Amino acid sequence: MHALDVKHPGLVDAMVAALLLEYRRARDTALPRLWARTGAAYAGRLNAVELRQAVAFFDSPAGHRIVELTIQGIVAAPPPENGTSNTVIYPAEPTREDAIAQATFEATSASRKLAAMRTEVAAINDDWSTKAAPDQATASAAMSKIIARFGVSASDFPQAAGHR
């Protein structure tokens, strides 16, 4: 790829940008399926009171901050190995108020049921993420447009020219 970018400056960046656009389109198209499946899973396990408890916590400023700390911990942590825990360690301590709000929520049946659903929700997310990608024809069409725009020929691609 480096040789291509030297011969055609900006080509690799343009290819990446085009693919990102197609992945975002595919993701945005697929999101309603994810929401429907996870929503059905939550609605099937939590009653109306528990749903309100969960929404109230996660919609609160403390809930937002706890979710942000969780995301930061996931991003910073190495992926779990088979058979190891995927417990998230916060990169910073929650404030005292946030910790109290979290502990209060964790004492509810909603929190316990959500915790019990983690594996199911992760499976739904994993299944969705494999389907939230552009099909091969769409990705190829995006690449073809970039290749044409930069005037790249088949001989510029070593594999296409028979060089390995």
Side-chain angles (χ1 to χ4, degrees):
M1 285 301 220
H2 176 70
L4 276 173
D5 209 37
V6 168
K7 187 171 182 180
H8 303 279
L11 173 67
V12 173
D13 288 342
M15 292 170 76
V16 169
L19 282 176
L20 279 174
L21 178 63
E22 294 307 328
Y23 271 88
R24 286 185 181 120
R25 284 182 182 152
R27 179 205 58 209
D28 291 350
T29 298
L31 273 171
R33 288 191 310 266
L34 173 66
W35 296 331
R37 286 185 66 196
T38 54
Y42 291 133
R45 307 287 184 298
L46 282 75
N47 63 40
V49 170
E50 292 162 338
L51 283 169
R52 282 193 294 276
Q53 288 172 334
V55 169
F57 172 71
F58 288 108
D59 232 9
S60 72
H64 284 253
R65 288 187 295 269
I66 293 296
V67 167
E68 182 57 34
L69 285 173
T70 303
I71 291 169
Q72 290 172 15
I74 291 168
V75 169
E81 307 247 345
N82 287 339
T84 63
S85 171
N86 61 353
T87 301
V88 175
I89 305 298
Y90 295 145
E93 287 296 316
T95 65
R96 178 170 158 42
E97 293 79 15
D98 291 351
I100 291 169
Q102 183 178 23
T104 301
F105 176 65
E106 287 174 352
T108 67
S109 60
S111 179
R112 288 188 294 279
K113 286 182 180 180
L114 289 175
M117 293 179 64
R118 282 190 185 124
T119 301
E120 177 184 3
V121 172
I124 291 169
N125 286 329
D126 290 347
D127 180 60
W128 171 82
S129 69
T130 63
K131 296 173 182 153
D135 59 51
Q136 185 63 41
T138 301
S140 293
M143 291 298 95
S144 294
K145 288 177 186 173
I146 299 301
I147 288 168
R149 189 174 91 207
F150 278 81
V152 178
S153 67
S155 63
D156 289 326
F157 292 93
Q159 291 147 337
H163 306 292
R164 294 207 184 256

